[in-house]
Amino acid sequence: MLKARGERGCCDRCAGGTGTAGAARIARRRLLKDAVFRPPAALTPEPSDWFAPPADIRAGVAAGVGRGGETAQETAPLPRAVTGTVLDVSPQVLIIGDPGGRPGSEQRFALTSDATAWRGAQLEATELHEGDRAVVRLHPTRRGVADRIWANIGRVTGTIIEHTSEFMVVDEGVTRPRQIVVIPPRAAGRIQVRFPTLQPGYLIDIIGLRGPAALEGLIPATSQPAYPAGRLPEAPLVSGHVPDAISGSATWHEPAGEPPGVLGVAYPALDPATGCVEDTARGHCRGYARMPYLAVGSVLLVRNDCNGASCALPVTGCAAVARLFNDRCVTCGTSPRGRVADLTEASFVALGGELDRGCFNATITIGR
């Protein structure tokens, strides 16, 4: 069995914990704090309330922190995202189990005629298979109803370090293992239109079907930057202080040791002292988007500019590779250049993102 070469990097040098376990604790810390200190009447929130921004962030938004200086409005609670393994599916019901196979973890969700699914292509929800790894977005106003399902979806974002006629090996950064990407003939034309230079040293960002040893690449998540990863162009100079609200592209990443369904965001500009930077000798720590340094555990208000949804999320890890892309998201209009947030799957889906599209136009506001 072909395996990617290179060892898994560890972010245990980052503030706030050891590796992914520390990131998971950071992601849960705010929820535990809210559970202890919120008023007794709010100790048992409805599922539709789980994604509402905390009061301190809502107050900052209401005060006028928003894109382009406009006064942002408080958004409605966001839908819940569920990750698990498909145990059974019928025309009316989808049964999802714990990814670890824990007994008694089954969850049942109703399927409506409008429910859609993706497994390499759009399909009917009833075409899902037992054993598929699924990310489910529930209906925002109807509890227990599945609205959108992605099965076995995966993503590889990084620098090509080896390319043969059969596969590519991609370096996703110091905090993640190297990945193998196999591009089937049916998808080669579509991918090479957006990624014409599939050679070592160039960046790639591909969405496809996750297999046990490799990703079957099917969809180009962006257009390939014209420069090699080692020659990142200089960002335009901007005078004055870095603004609190920064606009750009929000993407998502596959979990790599993160707990299923964890809410959080990997940030492209962690403080270099944490050790989670990429090749600082070449200046990659600066990146294209102009962003302030933050530490793990900081809180960001992430806004989906396409639908107005927003959510306060903790910074749970590094998104060093995101600094290397100076692309734009065109999900709705055209975003400014640069990736400003790399969300977990659950966070991306809950904010209204479509995993198979890869990004949404976003504005991040740094919590105080």
Side-chain angles (χ1 to χ4, degrees), residues 155-158 172 194-195 203-207 220-225 227 246-253 265-269 286-291 319-329 335-343 357-360 362 364:
R155 182 173 191 166
V156 170
T157 306
E172 291 199 300
R194 304 285 296 276
F195 288 90
L203 293 166
I204 195 167
D205 189 358
I206 289 184
I207 295 170
T222 185
S223 293
Q224 187 177 44
Y227 51 83
I246 305 167
S247 295
S249 173
T251 59
W252 62 273
H253 61 268
V265 53
Y267 185 68
R286 177 179 177 181
Y288 193 85
R290 190 164 180 258
M291 306 174 71
V321 171
R323 281 191 296 269
L324 307 183
F325 287 83
N326 71 340
D327 54 352
R328 303 177 187 268
C329 186
S335 75
R337 288 191 180 277
R339 300 186 176 189
V340 297
D342 188 24
L343 303 170
R357 296 205 60 170
C359 69
F360 57 72
I364 63 170

Side-chain angles (χ1 to χ4, degrees), residues 156-249:
V156 170
T157 306
T159 305
I160 301 171
I161 59 174
E162 183 178 348
H163 180 232
T164 72
S165 59
E166 298 179 349
F167 65 91
M168 286 183 293
V169 179
V170 179
D171 183 2
E172 291 199 300
V174 297
T175 62
R176 301 175 69 87
R178 292 176 176 178
Q179 299 286 333
I180 295 172
V181 178
V182 177
I183 300 176
R186 70 181 187 279
R190 180 180 183 182
I191 288 175
Q192 288 191 310
V193 167
R194 304 285 296 276
F195 288 90
T197 309
L198 298 179
Q199 298 299 327
Y202 282 82
L203 293 166
I204 195 167
D205 189 358
I206 289 184
I207 295 170
L209 289 173
R210 170 57 63 188
L215 179 84
E216 182 183 10
L218 300 174
I219 303 172
T222 185
S223 293
Q224 187 177 44
Y227 51 83
R231 294 203 294 269
L232 181 68
E234 287 293 327
L237 295 177
V238 180
S239 60
H241 296 290
V242 176
D244 288 335
I246 305 167
S247 295
S249 173

Side-chain angles (χ1 to χ4, degrees), residues 16 32 48 50 66 81 84 96 106 168 189 191 196 215 234 236 243 260 268 285 344-345 348:
L32 294 173
S48 60
W50 293 348
I96 296 290
E106 295 85 0
M168 286 183 293
I191 288 175
L215 179 84
E234 287 293 327
C285 60
T344 63
E345 288 177 335
F348 188 89

Side-chain angles (χ1 to χ4, degrees), residues 18 20 44 48 57 176 227 289 295 315 318 337 343:
T18 304
T20 55
T44 312
S48 60
I57 297 294
R176 301 175 69 87
Y227 51 83
V315 174
C318 314
R337 288 191 180 277
L343 303 170

Side-chain angles (χ1 to χ4, degrees), residues 59-358:
V61 174
V65 179
R67 185 173 182 177
E70 298 176 358
T71 301
Q73 300 296 324
E74 181 180 340
T75 60
L78 304 183
R80 181 185 176 193
V82 176
T83 301
T85 301
V86 175
L87 300 181
D88 193 15
V89 62
S90 69
Q92 290 81 32
V93 177
L94 171 69
I95 304 177
I96 296 290
D98 189 292
R102 180 165 48 90
S105 63
E106 295 85 0
Q107 300 183 71
R108 294 173 177 266
F109 303 108
L111 291 174
T112 67
S113 58
D114 297 329
T116 59
W118 184 96
R119 192 182 60 237
Q122 302 299 324
L123 45 79
E124 296 293 329
T126 53
E127 297 181 70
L128 296 173
H129 296 161
E130 182 179 343
D132 284 344
R133 175 187 174 273
V135 182
V136 183
R137 181 167 62 218
L138 303 186
H139 196 281
T141 60
R142 301 167 64 184
R143 295 180 56 183
V145 176
D147 179 49
R148 186 82 162 89
I149 307 159
W150 292 268
N152 301 333
I153 194 167
R155 182 173 191 166
V156 170
T157 306
T159 305
I160 301 171
I161 59 174
E162 183 178 348
H163 180 232
T164 72
S165 59
E166 298 179 349
F167 65 91
M168 286 183 293
V169 179
V170 179
D171 183 2
E172 291 199 300
V174 297
T175 62
R176 301 175 69 87
R178 292 176 176 178
Q179 299 286 333
I180 295 172
V181 178
V182 177
I183 300 176
R186 70 181 187 279
R190 180 180 183 182
I191 288 175
Q192 288 191 310
V193 167
R194 304 285 296 276
F195 288 90
T197 309
L198 298 179
Q199 298 299 327
Y202 282 82
L203 293 166
I204 195 167
D205 189 358
I206 289 184
I207 295 170
L209 289 173
R210 170 57 63 188
L215 179 84
E216 182 183 10
L218 300 174
I219 303 172
T222 185
S223 293
Q224 187 177 44
Y227 51 83
R231 294 203 294 269
L232 181 68
E234 287 293 327
L237 295 177
V238 180
S239 60
H241 296 290
V242 176
D244 288 335
I246 305 167
S247 295
S249 173
T251 59
W252 62 273
H253 61 268
E254 284 190 71
E258 296 170 339
V262 68
L263 299 178
V265 53
Y267 185 68
L270 284 187
D271 191 324
T274 64
C276 293
V277 295
E278 295 290 296
D279 199 359
T280 55
R282 299 184 185 182
H284 286 177
C285 60
R286 177 179 177 181
Y288 193 85
R290 190 164 180 258
M291 306 174 71
Y293 289 134
L294 295 178
V296 170
S298 302
V299 176
L300 296 180
L301 179 69
V302 182
R303 172 187 166 89
N304 183 339
D305 292 335
C306 297
N307 62 11
S310 61
C311 183
L313 298 170
V315 174
T316 57
C318 314
V321 171
R323 281 191 296 269
L324 307 183
F325 287 83
N326 71 340
D327 54 352
R328 303 177 187 268
C329 186
V330 293
T331 298
C332 58
T334 303
S335 75
R337 288 191 180 277
R339 300 186 176 189
V340 297
D342 188 24
L343 303 170
T344 63
E345 288 177 335
S347 301
F348 188 89
V349 169
L351 281 165
E354 302 288 325
L355 293 177
D356 51 304
R357 296 205 60 170

